[in-house]
Amino acid sequence: MNSFVIANPHRCIGCKTCEAACAIEHSEENILTQRNDKVKFNPCLKVIKTAEVSAPIQCRHCENAPCANACPNGSIINREGIVLINKDTCIGCKSCVIACPFGAIDLIVEHKDADKVMQKSLKCDREGKLEYKERLVANKCDLCIGRGNGPACVEVCPTEALRLVKAEHVDEVVLEKRRNAAANIANML
Amino acid sequence: MSLGLVNIDKDLCTGCRQCEEVCPVNAIKGEVGNPQSIDYDICVSCGQCIQVCNAYAVENKENKDMITNKRLERGLLKSVKEPIFAAFNKGNAVKVKEALNNKELFTIVQCAPAVRVSLGEEFGLEVGSLTPGKMSAALRILGFNRIYDTNFGADLTILEEGSELIKRVTEGGKLPMFTSCCPAWVKFVEQEYPELLSHLSSCKSPQQMAGTIFKTYGAKIDEVNPVKIYNVAIMPCTCKQFECDREEMQDSGFKDVDIVITTREFAQLIRDKEIDFENLEDEEFDLPLGSYTGAGNIFGVTGGVMEAALRSGYEMITKQSIPTLELNFIRGGEGIRVAEVELPDMILKVAVISGLKNVVEVLENIKRGDCDFDFVEVMTCPEGCVSGGGQPKFILAEDRKSAFMSRKKGIYKHDSELKIRKSHENPFIKKLYKEFLIEPLGEKSHHLLHTKFVSRKKEEM
Amino acid sequence: MELKSNSFVVGDSSKCVGCKACEIACFKAHNKLVTVGNITTPIISRIHVIKGNNFTVPVQCRHCEDAPCAKACSINAIKNEDNSIIIDEKLCIGCKACVVVCPFGAIEIGTKCKDGKKVMQKVQKEFAEEGLEQKEEKVAYKCDLCKEQDEPACIKACPKNALRLFDVIEEKRMRNIKAVNNLKL
């Protein structure tokens, strides 16, 4: 089973530290020392505030990921319990964006060595001028795959509102709940 | 890890003791809620516990290796995907697969009557489907050199046992005579009532008679060196392996039956070879030792041995054909059924017992000198071999009863559709006696087809 | 006017012996197989026998009136139908929200099976030992009161009659009558 990060809305104070940590983690360059116009800020999770609640929303790494099954060229795969977008083969068709019931996917400009990656032939009409278009790819939470301490957002949240839920945890919690339910029944009847 | 024929895996056992409720000899020990264990001094390896056990192993990524190990330890083929339960029998399918791949061996196979009405169930066919043709076809594809049949052995058993009964009745021999084809029943007598062993028919079971003939007469007519013959028996029974392992079962000069696998293991071998069982074209058994009559086939149900014996016995005594072939008065279910058969000079009192628990009453009566039966058939399993411990296992307990009925129906249907329905009319049995055995209870028969039993009673300290 | 509430199956720990006949029956009710030899997928059950210190009893979905699982489901695949809470297995994407939120642990993610075979996903692949492989389709399983059959299979299969269908209104009626009878003394 896949892992995922989930937020506890009762603890979230909407500070967006998680967004910052995520963006820093996923930037090749050091955001804190880059020139302003060069910074790309693309967090994979977004803090949403309504009248009643605030909490970050991010990918749930679904088992039958609708995004993966919608992708026309198989660019979204399951690896080590994580649903991953292959940015090299993504064509920016937005099928995954449409499919995701959580709205967890964005389109971002692909960067390499701090520069935007431009497309080789597609041009865009911008204010009367035809310019090469940037390469846009789908982006979503990747559970900070390869990061030693796991997801950055979980680590930095000042109120511990974010939790990494792994398959074993789920199994343990479910078993515990069943045991309690059974004990309750045994006491009742 | 050394396995018994029937085992309870302590890692999987829930301690519910549902197995204990069906054990005919109370061999399963343990407290409710704790893993149970089998007392092998009492157990008769009937396998009824295996049929009722619901304690399945949950399989997931975490325990995948542990479960794979268990499967290997149990002797299951690697391709077997079905779930494993706490109660299980030691598997021999791997050894049979190896034997089939060994070009040096001349493999002969025999199937019990009950197999041909239940094998199809493991491939989604209706419960009790009669599929002897597909069964032969599958055996041929698996690569057996000769596809003979236990039912031939059953016909042979009737000739010998019928003659033995007549001899005992007319010459004042030990009565009642009990059938001895059910190995769990025989083990039970040896363990608990060794003083009554002389009541058992000295005949071997059809499986063992067939195996012995395969390696002697069979070797001759097939012009094969019996050293190279590997006899496989496919049985609905988990105790038949115990029977073929008995020390004395070497009258052919070799181990008469080399190995036994259950109906379930047979289905697993078929799956392993990716044979499309459902769509197999019917094929025939090999002759002469694969030929059988309806009487041989009904051995698979309770009352079948009795009915087959009467069909031939009646004629042996009266020299006249039995008026009705289908002896409905002897057919039935679990329990004790009693009947009287009218013959010219006497009335034969017979009884059919199925469900081993039910035999104790009769044995105690015999000890008290209070039993007037002449001939008694005993089957350990509730409806006879069709309900054996090695048969396809039903997921739901409530499916069992109707399934046994369907399988029984299949057995009787096969009998009614065969041209020859009396064992002594089997032309190849006649040929066997003419060319080889000479006569029932003769010297050759005595040496090859009859056996001795041994007391296994644990002496009280 | 009385509102009809959802029924659910409940176990009696004083009768249960932990044999798992209910689990096996549950599996069978949702697959068309008859013998063990025909099973090629892991047994998935929607009822779970739990062993405590000195009791065993099965637990399963309570068909809550204000089902937390239904609230949590990201695609509204969980509905109240015919007095039971049903997960539409065709819609389920395996996001696990319902699994996490159920207070009884009644929901489990398992591989979707059809006609005794595992169902594979149309596109999504996963990394395994030998490279990219088709991924099995997963679905959230929970008790559906055997809506495709006439009565819950677990109740029928229990050899100790330890399971029963708890009808809130009927149960209340019986207990009220018992209480009133006790007053008579």
Side-chain angles (χ1 to χ4, degrees):
Chain A
M1 230 170 41
N2 296 335
S3 309
F4 58 100
V5 173
I6 194 90
N8 182 346
H10 300 298
R11 290 193 176 187
C12 176
I13 55 174
C15 67
K16 300 200 189 177
T17 310
C18 51
E19 289 193 23
C22 180
I24 292 171
E25 179 61 30
H26 288 88
S27 168
E28 280 168 14
E29 302 302 310
N30 187 341
I31 286 186
L32 303 171
T33 57
Q34 267 185 315
R35 261 172 48 191
N36 276 359
D37 57 347
K38 286 269 190 184
V39 167
K40 84 167 166 118
F41 189 83
N42 292 317
C44 304
L45 75 172
K46 194 171 167 70
V47 175
I48 305 297
K49 297 184 195 182
T50 71
E52 283 113 35
V53 72
S54 80
I57 294 297
Q58 70 216 86
C59 172
R60 293 286 182 85
H61 299 275
C62 308
E63 300 304 323
N64 309 333
C67 57
N69 286 314
C71 180
N73 67 2
S75 293
I76 307 183
I77 54 133
N78 212 159
R79 184 189 205 136
E80 293 163 40
I82 308 174
V83 176
L84 285 170
I85 299 176
N86 182 344
K87 293 195 163 68
D88 294 331
T89 54
C90 174
I91 59 173
C93 74
K94 297 159 296 226
S95 301
C96 55
V97 175
I98 302 171
C100 178
F102 302 99
I105 305 184
D106 293 309
L107 283 169
I108 61 169
V109 175
E110 198 185 3
H111 277 75
K112 208 167 173 82
D113 300 328
D115 283 319
K116 297 184 199 179
V117 174
M118 307 307 283
Q119 298 196 36
K120 294 207 166 48
S121 30
L122 182 63
K123 289 196 173 135
C124 229
D125 187 332
R126 294 214 170 118
E127 292 155 7
K129 269 198 330 187
L130 268 183
E131 289 175 355
Y132 280 109
K133 186 177 175 182
E134 304 91 345
R135 189 148 186 279
L136 289 165
V137 293
N139 184 50
K140 71 170 191 65
C141 167
D142 59 1
L143 288 180
C144 288
I145 185 173
R147 184 174 187 270
N149 280 350
C153 54
V154 174
E155 203 182 330
V156 304
C157 176
T159 58
E160 290 180 14
L162 287 167
R163 220 167 43 116
L164 174 65
V165 179
K166 284 192 174 155
E168 312 88 76
H169 298 169
V170 175
D171 291 342
E172 269 167 31
V173 167
V174 164
L175 187 55
E176 191 56 33
K177 287 177 181 174
R178 287 178 188 170
R179 288 211 174 104
N180 289 337
N184 272 337
I185 292 181
N187 288 334
M188 271 191 250
L189 298 168
Chain B
M1 183 176 84
S2 85
L3 289 179
L5 284 178
V6 174
N7 306 273
I8 295 179
D9 187 335
K10 286 194 159 31
D11 296 332
L12 302 177
C13 178
T14 58
C16 69
R17 303 223 348 132
Q18 292 301 288
C19 50
E20 198 275 333
E21 289 185 21
V22 297
C23 178
V25 292
N26 300 327
I28 303 180
K29 314 279 186 208
E31 285 168 18
V32 178
N34 289 340
Q36 305 291 298
S37 53
I38 297 176
D39 184 345
Y40 288 107
D41 289 330
I42 305 177
C43 173
V44 292
S45 302
C46 71
Q48 288 302 303
C49 50
I50 297 174
Q51 293 286 314
V52 306
C53 181
N54 278 319
Y56 70 95
V58 174
E59 298 189 50
N60 48 46
K61 260 196 213 142
E62 285 76 47
N63 68 8
K64 195 163 166 213
D65 289 333
M66 195 254 290
I67 299 288
T68 307
N69 275 342
K70 279 194 192 288
R71 288 177 185 275
L72 286 174
E73 278 168 2
R74 293 179 180 206
L76 288 173
L77 294 163
K78 285 209 180 95
S79 59
V80 171
K81 294 209 186 82
E82 61 182 73
I84 56 175
F85 294 76
F88 67 98
N89 64 299
K90 185 158 107 174
N92 284 331
V94 176
K95 292 202 188 116
V96 172
K97 188 176 174 182
E98 275 166 18
L100 285 166
N101 286 332
N102 183 346
K103 301 280 178 257
E104 302 291 307
L105 296 174
F106 188 85
T107 50
I108 302 183
V109 68
Q110 53 166 302
C111 293
V115 177
R116 69 210 65 199
V117 292
S118 53
L119 181 62
E121 293 165 9
E122 298 284 65
F123 299 97
L125 295 182
E126 217 181 296
V127 174
S129 292
L130 177 63
T131 58
K134 289 195 206 291
M135 190 174 84
S136 306
L139 290 168
R140 216 154 259 124
I141 299 177
L142 283 173
F144 285 101
N145 295 104
R146 283 289 176 271
I147 295 155
Y148 289 153
D149 204 66
T150 309
N151 287 352
F152 178 87
D155 281 336
L156 189 54
T157 303
I158 290 299
L159 272 291
E160 294 292 324
E161 198 154 336
S163 308
E164 186 187 7
L165 177 64
I166 294 172
K167 188 161 191 244
R168 286 199 197 186
V169 167
T170 56
E171 293 177 17
K174 212 46 168 267
L175 292 178
M177 185 172 94
F178 285 93
T179 55
S180 55
C181 43
C182 173
W185 149 240
V186 168
K187 187 168 194 262
F188 177 74
V189 184
E190 289 177 326
Q191 277 170 196
E192 310 299 325
Y193 293 91
E195 64 274 23
L196 300 180
L197 280 173
S198 54
H199 284 271
L200 285 176
S201 158
S202 61
C203 288
K204 290 183 181 176
S205 69
Q207 169 184 285
Q208 293 303 128
M209 282 201 187
T212 312
I213 294 296
F214 294 167
K215 288 198 181 185
T216 51
Y217 179 74
K220 265 211 277 224
I221 57 176
D222 280 331
E223 291 171 351
V224 175
N225 184 347
V227 165
K228 292 188 167 193
I229 296 180
Y230 191 75
N231 269 345
V232 178
I234 303 182
M235 294 285 142
C237 174
T238 42
C239 189
K240 284 290 178 184
Q241 179 64 44
F242 171 79
E243 185 177 54
C244 82
D245 281 340
R246 292 176 68 117
E247 246 179 14
E248 63 277 10
M249 296 295 183
Q250 302 180 56
D251 294 319
S252 62
F254 313 91
K255 192 172 176 192
D256 297 333
V257 172
D258 290 288
I259 200 166
V260 179
I261 54 172
T262 62
T263 314
R264 292 173 74 183
E265 291 179 278
F266 181 18
Q268 288 162 4
L269 278 168
I270 293 175
R271 267 216 172 83
D272 188 65
K273 199 123 189 185
E274 290 175 11
I275 298 172
D276 180 8
F277 186 82
E278 219 185 327
N279 293 314
L280 283 175
E281 297 277 335
D282 284 353
E283 287 190 33
E284 302 287 322
F285 295 95
D286 289 323
L287 295 174
L289 306 176
S291 85
Y292 58 90
T293 69
N297 193 60
I298 58 178
F299 267 59
V301 300
T302 165
V305 182
M306 181 63 68
E307 187 168 338
L310 289 174
R311 286 183 192 176
S312 289
Y314 187 93
E315 203 158 301
M316 283 189 214
I317 297 176
T318 66
K319 311 291 179 227
Q320 286 169 350
S321 230
I322 193 167
T324 359
L325 211 47
E326 288 176 11
L327 308 179
N328 289 316
F329 64 90
I330 220 72
R331 299 184 180 185
E334 188 172 1
I336 306 181
R337 304 191 295 287
V338 176
E340 291 184 349
V341 184
E342 272 193 42
L343 296 167
D345 296 325
M346 61 172 289
I347 294 180
L348 204 65
K349 281 201 150 127
V350 301
V352 173
I353 305 177
S354 71
L356 191 61
K357 274 197 167 101
N358 298 315
V359 83
V360 175
E361 175 189 327
V362 174
L363 295 176
E364 291 295 330
N365 284 346
I366 296 176
K367 278 175 78 167
R368 274 199 303 271
D370 183 23
C371 176
D372 62 353
F373 293 134
D374 298 305
F375 186 33
V376 181
E377 175 201 295
V378 181
M379 293 295 156
T380 296
C381 297
E383 301 284 342
C385 309
V386 286
S387 60
Q391 287 286 69
K393 176 174 173 168
F394 291 98
I395 302 175
L396 268 192
E398 71 176 54
D399 286 343
R400 270 177 222 139
K401 231 182 155 86
S402 63
F404 296 156
M405 292 305 125
S406 301
R407 290 173 181 172
K408 275 167 81 164
K409 242 170 131 181
I411 291 275
Y412 286 123
K413 176 169 175 271
H414 196 31
D415 165 41
S416 67
E417 289 171 351
L418 288 170
K419 273 202 296 262
I420 308 180
R421 302 174 68 183
K422 296 180 218 162
S423 298
H424 61 280
E425 292 179 0
N426 182 335
F428 295 101
I429 290 280
K430 290 197 231 183
K431 197 161 185 265
L432 173 66
Y433 277 101
K434 185 152 180 247
E435 291 177 8
F436 187 63
L437 296 170
I438 314 300
E439 55 175 1
L441 307 181
E443 199 196 316
K444 203 97 183 194
S445 298
H446 181 74
H447 171 55
L448 294 175
L449 308 177
H450 291 258
T451 187
K452 286 190 166 60
F453 307 105
V454 63
S455 167
R456 292 176 201 272
K457 196 173 185 108
K458 279 217 111 176
E459 297 306 326
E460 243 93 85
M461 291 300 181
Chain C
M1 188 177 80
E2 272 175 18
L3 278 173
K4 255 215 134 180
S5 53
N6 298 334
S7 302
F8 56 98
V9 177
V10 71
D12 184 343
S13 59
S14 66
K15 294 185 185 163
C16 175
V17 289
C19 70
K20 293 206 203 172
C22 52
E23 292 195 19
I24 301 268
C26 176
F27 168 76
K28 203 232 164 178
H30 295 89
N31 293 272
K32 296 282 177 285
L33 308 169
V34 178
T35 66
V36 171
N38 279 303
I39 302 176
T40 51
T41 58
I43 292 183
I44 295 176
S45 171
R46 300 150 190 247
I47 178 173
H48 315 278
V49 173
I50 299 295
K51 207 169 153 133
N53 279 336
N54 47 7
F55 65 85
T56 58
V57 77
V59 293
Q60 69 226 88
C61 171
R62 293 286 174 84
H63 296 273
C64 307
E65 302 306 324
D66 313 314
C69 57
K71 239 163 89 180
C73 180
S74 50
I75 48 170
N76 296 328
I78 307 184
K79 298 198 177 59
N80 207 156
E81 283 171 18
D82 293 326
N83 302 112
S84 41
I85 303 291
I86 304 291
I87 299 178
D88 187 339
E89 292 176 14
K90 287 196 282 295
L91 295 177
C92 177
I93 58 175
C95 77
K96 298 157 296 210
C98 59
V99 174
V100 167
V101 87
C102 173
F104 302 101
I107 310 182
E108 198 168 281
I109 298 286
T111 305
K112 194 173 195 175
C113 292
K114 198 178 167 165
D115 298 331
K117 286 205 191 63
K118 292 185 181 177
V119 178
M120 306 309 270
Q121 298 195 36
K122 289 197 169 49
V123 181
Q124 185 178 45
K125 294 195 156 73
E126 76 178 328
F127 252 101
E129 291 141 19
E130 290 151 40
L132 272 180
E133 285 175 359
Q134 266 194 307
K135 185 176 175 180
E136 294 165 1
E137 196 162 317
K138 302 281 181 185
V139 73
Y141 285 113
K142 73 164 194 68
C143 169
D144 60 0
L145 286 179
C146 283
K147 66 181 168 75
E148 311 266 317
Q149 287 83 30
D150 16 293
E151 70 167 300
C154 52
I155 298 178
K156 223 166 149 192
C158 179
K160 303 294 175 192
N161 290 325
L163 289 165
R164 67 197 171 100
L165 195 62
F166 193 100
D167 175 330
V168 172
I169 294 171
E170 182 57 31
E171 195 73 25
K172 177 185 163 87
R173 196 181 70 85
M174 290 196 310
R175 293 183 191 193
N176 286 166
I177 292 174
K178 189 168 169 208
V180 154
N181 284 336
N182 276 339
L183 283 177
K184 269 189 339 190
L185 299 163

